[in-house]
Amino acid sequence: MDTDDALRRRLGLGDSVVIGLGSMVGAGIFAALAPAAAAAGSWLLLALGIAAVVAYCNATSSARLAALYPVSGGTYVYGRERLGEFWGYLAGWGFVVGKTASCAAMALTVGSYAWPEHARVVAVGAVVAITAINYVGVQKSALATRVIVAIVLAVLAVVVAVCFAGKHDGATVLADRIGPRGVLEAAGLLFFAFAGYARIATLGEEVREPRRTIPRAIGIALGLALVVYAVVAVAVLTVLGSGGLAGVSDPLARAVTAAGAPGLAPVVRVGAVVAAAGSLLALVLGVSRTTLAMARDRHLPPALAAVHPKFGVPHRAELTVGVIVAVVAASADIRSAIGFSSFAVLVYYLIANLSANTLTAAENRPARAIPIVGALGCAVVALSLPLPSVLAGAAVLAVGALAYGARRRFATR
């Protein structure tokens, strides 16, 4: 790699934790609880626990690998180095297409809460603004994320306090019978919100002291996110119950209203917009870095590997990702985007766990059970998602695999 193409190591532990936390404690906490409750009913907390176990295994595997390979690209790099070029490529392809769909879902969430009648226009505007922030440098992105996380946590603290102190007589229980598949489907939906810790790993080339900082940042961010999710879920269930939670599109706003504080609903809606914007900020940041790594290896157009001489960011990758996300946000459905993204990202982490399973004791491998449980968890939860999401995700991954094969065949000739 040329020196001019290397990214600058400017992120410390605090900024790394905030970027990961901002990706997890974002729009998911405002949007994922309702569909997860519809799938799991009263077993919502069990589904949250399953998602947390899978996320912990994935985070541990990712942290050990990121410390060993502290460069941009995440599992794209780990899979390539530990399993072979194809598996790294497949992980990178799954991350880029899956997280591009996530970006569109977050942008649409911003639009739906800010101005429902013109949600797509607002979504595209949000993408343009976030791309501009990322373009002028990762340090400014980290600062913006720190502010967003503080606002979101403050709003969630208000929701929790109002729910625990307010009325609880309106809670209802979901009448539908819930089976194991429903719980696993809910775990997949909640995992969508947990998956933000990958952003820390994909920023490996911009983190100071990566062998020490990355594992600590991932563990701290995941632990904080789990506590927040669990407390908010219990608080909302106390007021709405699984039945009331499952039937709404804005569960936290409905919860404070049902608890007897309808005047706080607009505040919660503003918090949802800020949270979704924070998730979008970190998502675009991570996708552009994986695009950079794949472009360096010529799996994507080499022009995307350019690093801006002044701002020190992969500016062409940033702009390309921004344009694609804006187009998807202007045309796609948010539910389809979330389902597709969940499947692709779980495949990404499946490869991360398989890569971690090849580490030796000298390479600071995790306990053997962690990557095994993580890999099995990713596979089971991914296949438990709605069938259209599974089929669409498998089809896009197959297209990527065929493109890889065609490129290899052409290169050998």
Side-chain angles (χ1 to χ4, degrees):
M1 186 189 310
D2 295 337
T3 303
D4 292 340
D5 288 335
L7 299 176
R8 302 170 190 167
R9 297 192 183 277
R10 295 180 292 186
L11 297 177
L13 177 63
D15 284 337
S16 300
V17 169
V18 169
I19 287 175
L21 189 61
S23 302
M24 287 181 278
V25 184
I29 193 63
F30 292 91
L33 287 179
S42 299
W43 298 100
L44 177 63
L45 294 180
L46 175 60
L48 180 64
I50 293 173
V53 169
V54 175
Y56 171 77
C57 293
N58 296 345
T60 302
S61 294
S62 297
R64 300 299 173 86
L65 290 161
L68 190 62
Y69 303 102
V71 296
S72 290
T75 303
Y76 165 69
V77 174
Y78 317 150
R80 181 190 65 198
E81 296 297 325
R82 310 302 305 195
L83 303 175
E85 185 178 349
F86 171 75
W87 295 105
Y89 166 84
L90 188 63
W93 176 254
F95 183 89
V96 169
V97 298
K99 288 303 182 180
T100 298
S102 293
C103 291
M106 294 302 97
L108 288 168
T109 300
V110 172
S112 298
Y113 275 90
W115 197 358
E117 295 81 7
H118 300 281
R120 295 190 186 281
V121 174
V122 176
V124 173
V127 173
V128 173
I130 292 300
T131 302
I133 290 173
N134 283 334
Y135 190 93
V136 298
V138 67
Q139 193 65 35
K140 291 183 176 62
S141 296
L143 176 60
T145 303
R146 187 186 296 276
V147 174
I148 290 169
V149 169
I151 293 172
V152 172
L153 290 177
V155 171
L156 293 179
V158 171
V159 171
V160 170
V162 170
C163 287
F164 282 137
K167 304 175 183 177
H168 301 155
D169 54 358
T172 60
V173 178
L174 192 68
D176 297 342
R177 293 188 61 184
I178 303 299
R181 182 181 178 85
V183 175
L184 292 173
E185 180 180 337
L189 294 169
L190 292 169
F191 179 82
F192 171 81
F194 268 119
Y197 51 77
R199 234 66 67 238
I200 302 171
T202 56
L203 294 172
E205 197 172 319
E206 296 160 89
V207 174
R208 296 192 298 267
E209 298 184 75
R211 291 182 66 89
R212 172 180 171 82
T213 300
I214 291 174
R216 292 178 63 197
I218 289 177
I220 293 170
L222 179 62
L224 291 173
L226 175 58
V227 171
V228 171
Y229 269 64
V231 172
V232 173
V234 171
V236 174
L237 282 172
T238 300
V239 174
L240 297 178
S242 58
L245 179 57
V248 297
S249 59
D250 50 352
L252 300 194
R254 296 294 184 93
V256 296
T257 299
L264 289 176
V267 176
V268 175
R269 294 184 184 280
V270 171
V273 171
V274 173
S279 293
L280 179 61
L281 177 75
L283 282 168
V284 172
L285 198 65
V287 173
S288 66
R289 269 54 182 184
T290 300
T291 300
L292 165 71
M294 295 185 72
R296 283 172 172 169
D297 292 339
R298 299 184 179 273
H299 290 307
L300 291 175
L304 298 178
V307 175
H308 197 284
K310 178 181 179 181
F311 300 124
V313 300
H315 57 295
R316 292 178 183 171
E318 293 272 12
L319 293 176
T320 301
V321 170
V323 169
I324 294 173
V325 172
V327 171
V328 175
S331 57
D333 174 76
I334 188 170
R335 292 184 180 181
S336 300
I338 289 176
F340 173 83
S341 174
S342 295
F343 182 86
V345 173
L346 283 163
V347 171
Y348 171 89
Y349 283 114
L350 170 62
I351 295 173
N353 282 295
L354 294 176
S355 300
N357 198 44
T358 67
L359 293 174
T360 65
E363 294 170 318
N364 194 27
R365 71 185 180 203
R368 284 297 187 191
I370 289 178
I372 294 174
V373 171
L376 290 175
C378 286
V380 171
V381 171
L383 294 175
S384 299
L385 288 165
L387 184 59
S389 298
V390 175
L391 294 178
V396 172
L397 290 176
V399 168
L402 290 173
Y404 174 87
R407 175 181 170 276
R408 294 280 293 181
R409 185 180 182 88
F410 179 79
T412 56
R413 289 182 177 179

